[in-house]
Amino acid sequence: MDNTTDRVITIHPNSKRYTHTFIWLGCISLFVFWILSLFLWQIFKIQLIFLISATLVLILIGVLKYLEPGTSLFITPKTIRYCHRHGQWALPWQDIIRFGELKADVQGEHIQLPYVGIKLNNLDHIAKSISPRLANKLIHEQQELLILAIANKEVDFEGSLINFEPYTLNEVIYKGPIAAWLHRSEQLAKAYGYHLFLPESSLDRNLNSFLKLLKKCHDYTIVNGPN
């Protein structure tokens, strides 16, 4: 963060790339196939149905990309804030112990997973800042991590079920999606050593480069404080 304590670093997700290309290509293709169907429907009905369906899927992908936030992360000397189409969470740097790669055994091979892990020293701020919609969405988005942990016998099947029991944290009782997400974060922390997981698709650079950026920002804050 150099010498500027008021600097804000914004991260733009790779998932937003080619958004307009998908939409325009889909719309143009749909128009072309519609014109062709006026003359060739009886001869190539099945082929045209397939092509039109494919273009509709292409448009849908483009629209979903468009609906994603243009900025996925705001990094300041005080906080790191993650933005998602379904909500957001924010953390002070002091809550973070470390960042790291996620590695797991997949079919006998030790591979790096497409996530950056964040280990916390407490869950107070994240529980208060995360929106219920995002908490609910993350439970499902991180399902693949849970399935992998079950396959590697790091989480038992019974413990993998969504737990909607209230979650008590420093005498504050959380219920609903936030409680379920806190229970799930606890399970994933036992399996991978991290509470939060940033998907590679939400980043604008490769995992190693992003980890270097986070560690540099974290070290700056530890040394200089949240000015």
Side-chain angles (χ1 to χ4, degrees), residues 10 23 43 66 68 102 117 157 160-161 175 185:
T10 56
I23 294 175
I43 303 174
Y66 180 79
E68 292 293 333
L102 254 70
F157 180 76
S160 70
L161 301 176
K175 299 180 180 180
S185 294

Side-chain angles (χ1 to χ4, degrees), residues 4 15 22 33 81 88 114 150 162 168-169 196 198 201 205:
T4 54
S15 59
F22 274 91
F33 295 141
R81 179 156 56 95
Q88 62 180 328
I150 295 171
I162 298 177
T168 303
L169 196 59
L196 297 175
L198 299 176
S201 61
R205 62 200 76 189

Side-chain angles (χ1 to χ4, degrees), residues 113-176:
L113 303 178
Y115 293 90
V116 169
I118 303 177
K119 182 176 178 61
L120 306 178
N121 54 38
N122 70 77
L123 298 175
D124 289 348
H125 284 105
I126 192 68
K128 292 174 182 176
S129 72
I130 192 168
S131 64
R133 288 184 66 229
L134 178 57
N136 182 64
K137 185 65 177 178
L138 290 181
I139 290 173
H140 299 286
E141 284 188 355
Q142 295 168 357
Q143 190 70 14
E144 60 180 359
L145 291 176
L146 183 66
I147 292 173
L148 187 56
I150 295 171
N152 291 331
K153 298 181 179 180
E154 294 168 328
V155 175
D156 59 44
F157 180 76
E158 183 179 348
S160 70
L161 301 176
I162 298 177
N163 184 357
F164 284 104
E165 291 295 319
Y167 191 101
T168 303
L169 196 59
N170 289 335
E171 299 183 354
V172 178
I173 300 175
Y174 295 92
K175 299 180 180 180

Side-chain angles (χ1 to χ4, degrees), residues 14-215:
N14 280 326
S15 59
K16 290 282 287 188
R17 296 177 63 185
Y18 310 119
T19 296
H20 294 94
T21 301
F22 274 91
I23 294 175
W24 280 110
L25 182 59
C27 289
I28 292 171
S29 299
L30 183 62
F31 178 75
V32 171
F33 295 141
W34 175 71
I35 294 296
L36 290 175
S37 70
L38 297 179
F39 303 97
L40 303 173
W41 182 257
Q42 295 302 324
I43 303 174
F44 299 107
K45 181 186 296 184
I46 295 177
Q47 292 89 336
L48 286 168
I49 290 175
F50 174 79
L51 291 171
I52 290 173
S53 299
T55 58
L56 290 174
V57 171
L58 197 64
I59 294 171
L60 178 61
I61 292 173
V63 170
L64 291 176
K65 283 176 170 286
Y66 180 79
L67 293 175
E68 292 293 333
T71 302
S72 56
L73 286 157
F74 291 89
I75 301 173
T76 76
K78 292 184 178 180
T79 62
I80 175 171
R81 179 156 56 95
Y82 175 64
C83 299
H84 189 283
R85 183 159 57 96
H86 294 274
Q88 62 180 328
W89 55 252
L91 277 175
W93 288 99
Q94 288 74 18
D95 279 9
I96 299 171
I97 297 176
R98 63 184 175 90
F99 306 93
E101 302 174 349
L102 254 70
K103 294 185 177 181
D105 184 82
V106 179
Q107 297 180 346
E109 184 179 356
H110 204 57
I111 67 167
Q112 181 175 336
L113 303 178
Y115 293 90
V116 169
I118 303 177
K119 182 176 178 61
L120 306 178
N121 54 38
N122 70 77
L123 298 175
D124 289 348
H125 284 105
I126 192 68
K128 292 174 182 176
S129 72
I130 192 168
S131 64
R133 288 184 66 229
L134 178 57
N136 182 64
K137 185 65 177 178
L138 290 181
I139 290 173
H140 299 286
E141 284 188 355
Q142 295 168 357
Q143 190 70 14
E144 60 180 359
L145 291 176
L146 183 66
I147 292 173
L148 187 56
I150 295 171
N152 291 331
K153 298 181 179 180
E154 294 168 328
V155 175
D156 59 44
F157 180 76
E158 183 179 348
S160 70
L161 301 176
I162 298 177
N163 184 357
F164 284 104
E165 291 295 319
Y167 191 101
T168 303
L169 196 59
N170 289 335
E171 299 183 354
V172 178
I173 300 175
Y174 295 92
K175 299 180 180 180
I178 294 179
W181 178 77
L182 288 169
H183 284 297
R184 177 60 53 83
S185 294
E186 195 175 72
Q187 292 172 328
L188 294 178
K190 291 179 181 177
Y192 297 100
Y194 300 100
H195 299 92
L196 297 175
F197 305 90
L198 299 176
E200 189 174 21
S201 61
S202 68
L203 312 179
D204 58 4
R205 62 200 76 189
N206 64 52
L207 292 175
N208 289 332
S209 296
F210 186 67
L211 273 172
K212 289 178 181 178
L213 172 66
L214 288 179
K215 289 175 181 178

